[in-house]
Amino acid sequence: MERHITLGEFIIQNQKDFPYAKGELSALLSSIRLAGKMVNQEINKAGLANIIGAAGEENVQGEAQQKLDVLANDMFISTLRKRGEICGLASEEMEDHIVFDDEIHSDSKYVVLIDPLDGSSNIDVNVSVGTIFSIYRRVTKEGEPVQLEDFLQPGNKQVAAGYLVYGTSTMLVYTTGNGVNAFTYDPGIGSFFLSHPNMRVSEKGKIYSINEGNYVHMPEGVKQYIKWCQELDPSTNRPLTSRYIGSLVADFHRNLLKGGIYIYPKGTKAPNGKLRLLYECNPMAYLIEQAGGKASDGHTRILDIEPKELHQRVPFFCGSPIMVEKAEEFLRRYPDQD
Ligand code: AHG
Ligand code: MN
Ligand code: MN
């Protein structure tokens, strides 16, 4: 029987394509794999271990933190701290970045940004959640403590990005700028196996994913685009199908496999939308472009936005290229009234 390649084998085989610090980036991806396995273990027993429910604290954006948010955050930080590949980390769950400055990190070149647990409101109802990660090479001088500017780089400077989805099966999907590959976890063996090599998103797509409960708050262009998706026109395969889980990772993953658009627009209540540029949109934008798709804020390519602050939010339109272009066309046709 043919044996599938493991994630570890794949990382080593493909490190020749990494632009620099090959061994370190391979080791870093392996550390993320390890932390992901640990988080997966906790999520799988969430219902058993009495660890579901709010931790009683709010994160920097004032949202209730779930216990697993805290746990996932701690697991990623401690795993990455124990190994020497990165010199700093920023997380959606922490106000400021952290500096790794002990001996083993003294010549590390990379920084990581993470959303340790995405879709956390779905934990209590046994629906898929995920972890999103984004990796940059530091821009400040090696050997010195990392600075904020190492984290505030535009998405087009990412050297790798990906996510874990803890769903009906657990998968790790990532890119290092040479296509997108997905690995499915075999819990019996404890390894990820290559299950979806060189993923490509459909050009046209059929699914639109948006929280329509926010309809009254949406810009006119987005309202009109939703109406367009719902109209009857067999020549363009309309009406389209609506699917929305409420976990970005799970919604993105489904649309990557089946073809579709994910939208989190700005609204009268959220002037820049809800999703975070650095922890959520940049890594997903890098992945979708590597799979042949598009990601924008409705007007500008996500990967070209110059970040101003760690927890910056941005409207997000991401998925099959023809669908994203159509949505952008509606935004141009109905410019904001404000
Ligand atoms: P997080 O759990 O990391 O805070 O992210 C939640 C995000 C994202 O996963 C999801 O797509 C979006 O929030 C859903 O928001 P709405 O409930 O407003 O639709
Ligand atoms: Mn999130
Ligand atoms: Mn989160």
Side-chain angles (χ1 to χ4, degrees):
M1 199 178 81
E2 192 207 343
R3 187 178 73 78
H4 287 285
I5 182 170
T6 66
L7 174 56
E9 290 164 342
F10 186 89
I11 290 171
I12 300 299
Q13 280 177 18
N14 289 277
Q15 70 175 6
K16 61 181 185 327
D17 298 323
F18 297 167
Y20 26 57
K22 300 176 193 311
E24 267 175 86
L25 184 55
S26 291
L28 173 52
L29 291 167
S30 302
S31 300
I32 289 171
R33 173 190 61 185
L34 174 63
K37 279 190 206 176
M38 291 160 67
V39 171
N40 179 56
Q41 182 85 357
E42 292 305 318
I43 286 169
N44 280 179
K45 60 184 190 201
L48 284 173
N50 191 29
I51 51 175
I52 52 175
E57 284 178 25
E58 292 192 338
N59 68 11
V60 286
Q61 283 117 22
E63 297 150 343
Q65 262 184 328
Q66 301 289 312
K67 277 186 184 171
L68 275 175
D69 279 333
V70 181
L71 222 108
N73 194 46
D74 291 350
M75 279 177 168
F76 270 88
I77 293 171
S78 63
T79 305
L80 294 172
R81 193 193 287 278
K82 277 193 196 105
R83 298 171 162 214
E85 302 96 19
I86 63 168
C87 43
L89 178 145
S91 162
E92 180 198 272
E93 296 299 332
M94 299 180 308
E95 187 148 8
D96 299 312
H97 68 268
I98 44 179
V99 179
F100 291 173
D101 57 359
D102 39 309
E103 190 58 25
I104 57 164
H105 304 279
S106 59
D107 60 354
S108 312
K109 296 167 189 66
Y110 294 107
V111 295
V112 167
L113 295 100
I114 50 167
D115 176 354
L117 202 67
D118 172 70
S120 44
S121 66
N122 278 325
I123 295 163
D124 287 359
V125 291
N126 206 358
V127 169
S128 302
V129 292
T131 296
I132 310 173
F133 61 91
S134 170
I135 302 173
Y136 294 82
R137 198 174 158 88
R138 68 179 300 174
V139 287
T140 54
K141 198 159 166 257
E142 269 174 50
E144 293 184 0
V146 274
Q147 308 289 328
L148 186 58
E149 64 187 286
D150 292 311
F151 298 91
L152 297 184
Q153 300 188 52
N156 57 35
K157 293 278 195 287
Q158 288 172 103
V159 292
Y163 59 83
L164 285 118
V165 55
Y166 313 104
T168 40
S169 56
T170 295
M171 291 180 74
L172 192 151
V173 182
Y174 82 101
T175 183
T176 51
N178 197 16
V180 179
N181 293 282
F183 300 80
T184 303
Y185 186 58
D186 182 333
I189 298 172
S191 296
F192 287 92
F193 290 93
L194 179 62
S195 50
H196 300 67
N198 195 20
M199 298 172 90
R200 303 296 296 170
V201 68
S202 134
E203 271 222 293
K204 280 194 192 139
K206 175 86 180 119
I207 297 170
Y208 72 101
S209 309
I210 185 167
N211 184 344
E212 289 191 55
N214 293 330
Y215 190 83
V216 291
H217 302 296
M218 289 176 193
E220 189 59 26
V222 177
K223 287 181 179 168
Q224 294 295 331
Y225 176 69
I226 293 174
K227 288 260 171 285
W228 181 87
C229 291
Q230 295 169 343
E231 277 165 17
L232 180 67
D233 178 18
S235 73
T236 51
N237 258 329
R238 286 179 290 152
L240 305 182
T241 298
S242 167
R243 290 281 183 276
Y244 190 76
I245 295 168
S247 287
L248 171 64
V249 167
D251 281 305
F252 178 95
H253 186 69
R254 182 205 51 243
N255 289 1
L256 174 59
L257 288 171
K258 299 207 162 178
I261 185 170
Y262 178 93
I263 303 178
Y264 209 109
K266 64 179 182 181
T268 44
K269 285 201 306 190
N272 294 310
K274 178 182 185 189
L275 300 181
R276 296 83 169 170
L277 175 62
L278 295 178
Y279 311 110
E280 296 175 314
C281 302
N282 270 339
M284 293 316 205
Y286 189 24
L287 286 161
I288 205 70
E289 286 198 5
Q290 283 292 316
K294 280 195 148 192
S296 81
D297 66 357
H299 308 279
T300 306
R301 182 182 179 224
I302 290 290
L303 295 181
D304 289 338
I305 297 174
E306 289 286 341
K308 302 270 182 298
E309 53 187 31
L310 278 180
H311 297 285
Q312 187 170 336
R313 297 177 193 256
V314 71
F316 196 46
F317 297 73
C318 172
S320 295
I322 291 178
M323 297 183 88
V324 173
E325 281 159 19
K326 190 61 155 181
E328 288 173 338
E329 188 187 313
F330 273 93
L331 291 181
R332 280 195 300 274
R333 208 183 302 167
Y334 299 91
D336 293 344
Q337 300 300 307
D338 48 36

